[in-house]
């Protein structure tokens, strides 16, 4: 079996990013391209105005290579998706985006995640909310933790 652990983070991130960007709708600015509001880290030039929102951060996947063996084929991986929203009905908008993401993950659990990206047992394992001030703007945050078993190629 080819142990491709150096590619796990990249593969999982790309799978989640591609799946979400191709299926989610920005309800505040439907004409915006996903690359204008979905990122891997906080964009330095955004978030200073309410019109910049929503902003979605797809965090770096987390996994451990500890206790790997040549026979181990499934690697547990988790990834956080952080939704930031501001403006009128910001909490409702963040909830709507979270609902869209849950639907995207569950409806593509077998067809895309498993068959295309080798991500098995996909599930939302945690969901939390918070409110913060960013650049004097009240921002509603929703965090979804997705968990998968990544099947290494063999």
């Amino acid at each position: 079996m080819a142990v491709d652990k150096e590619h796990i983070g990249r593969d999982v991130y790309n799978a989640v990013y591609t799946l979400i960007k191709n299926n989610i709708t920005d309800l505040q600015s439907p004409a915006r391209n996903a690359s204008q509001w979905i990122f891997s880290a906080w964009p330095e030039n955004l978030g200073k105005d309410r019109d910049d929102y929503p902003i979605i951060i797809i965090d770096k996947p987390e996994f451990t290579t500890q206790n790997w063996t040549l026979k181990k084929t499934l690697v547990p991986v988790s990834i956080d998706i952080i939704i930031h929203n501001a403006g009128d009905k910001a909490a409702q908008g963040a909830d709507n985006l979270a609902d869209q993401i849950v639907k995207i993950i569950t409806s593509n659990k077998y067809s895309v995640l498993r068959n295309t990206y080798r991500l098995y047992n996909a599930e939302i394992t945690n969901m939390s909310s918070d409110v913060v001030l960013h650049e004097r703007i009240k921002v509603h945050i929703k965090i979804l933790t997705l968990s998968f078993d990544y099947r290494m190629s063999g």
Side-chain angles (χ1 to χ4, degrees), residues 10-52:
R10 182 197 67 214
D11 290 352
V12 172
Y13 179 86
N14 288 339
V16 172
Y17 177 81
T18 301
L19 189 60
I20 290 173
K21 86 172 177 82
N22 289 340
N23 293 286
I24 200 165
T25 301
D26 177 355
L27 299 176
Q28 287 183 222
S29 302
R32 275 201 309 177
N33 183 304
S35 64
Q36 295 173 304
W37 64 292
I38 302 175
F39 305 96
S40 60
W42 188 260
E44 290 184 30
N45 58 338
L46 292 178
K48 295 171 176 53
D49 187 290
R50 288 172 62 174
D51 293 337
D52 291 341

Side-chain angles (χ1 to χ4, degrees), residues 4 25 31 50-51 54 62 65-66 69 72 78 80 82 89 96 102 105 107 116-117 121-122 125 130 149 151 154:
D4 53 4
T25 301
R50 288 172 62 174
D51 293 337
E62 294 183 15
T65 57
Q66 212 169 19
T69 67
K72 185 172 182 116
S78 66
D80 286 337
I82 307 141
K89 300 183 180 179
N96 179 285
V102 169
I105 297 301
S107 65
T116 304
Y117 295 112
N121 307 316
T125 55
D130 201 357
D149 289 322
R151 186 178 191 286

Side-chain angles (χ1 to χ4, degrees), residues 43-147:
E44 290 184 30
N45 58 338
L46 292 178
K48 295 171 176 53
D49 187 290
R50 288 172 62 174
D51 293 337
D52 291 341
Y53 293 89
I55 295 172
I56 294 178
I57 307 297
I58 301 175
D59 215 351
K60 181 179 175 183
E62 294 183 15
F63 62 95
T64 181
T65 57
Q66 212 169 19
N67 300 324
W68 276 19
T69 67
L70 290 177
K71 293 183 179 185
K72 185 172 182 116
T73 59
L74 294 178
V75 178
V77 181
S78 66
I79 188 168
D80 286 337
I81 300 173
I82 307 141
I83 302 163
H84 302 81
N85 202 17
D88 297 334
K89 300 183 180 179
Q92 182 181 354
D95 287 342
N96 179 285
L97 291 169
D99 291 345
Q100 284 188 59
I101 291 169
V102 169
K103 184 177 180 181
I104 290 165
I105 297 301
T106 56
S107 65
N108 290 283
K109 188 173 184 171
Y110 299 106
S111 60
V112 176
L113 289 172
R114 176 181 261 182
N115 297 339
T116 304
Y117 295 112
R118 300 188 329 246
L119 295 171
Y120 289 70
N121 307 316
E123 62 181 299
I124 310 294
T125 55
N126 192 32
M127 194 178 301
S128 61
S129 301
D130 201 357
V131 178
V132 298
L133 280 178
H134 180 76
E135 299 286 337
R136 298 184 181 172
I137 299 170
K138 184 178 179 180
V139 179
H140 289 264
I141 299 174
K142 191 87 170 186
I143 302 171
L144 287 78
T145 301
L146 310 179
S147 295

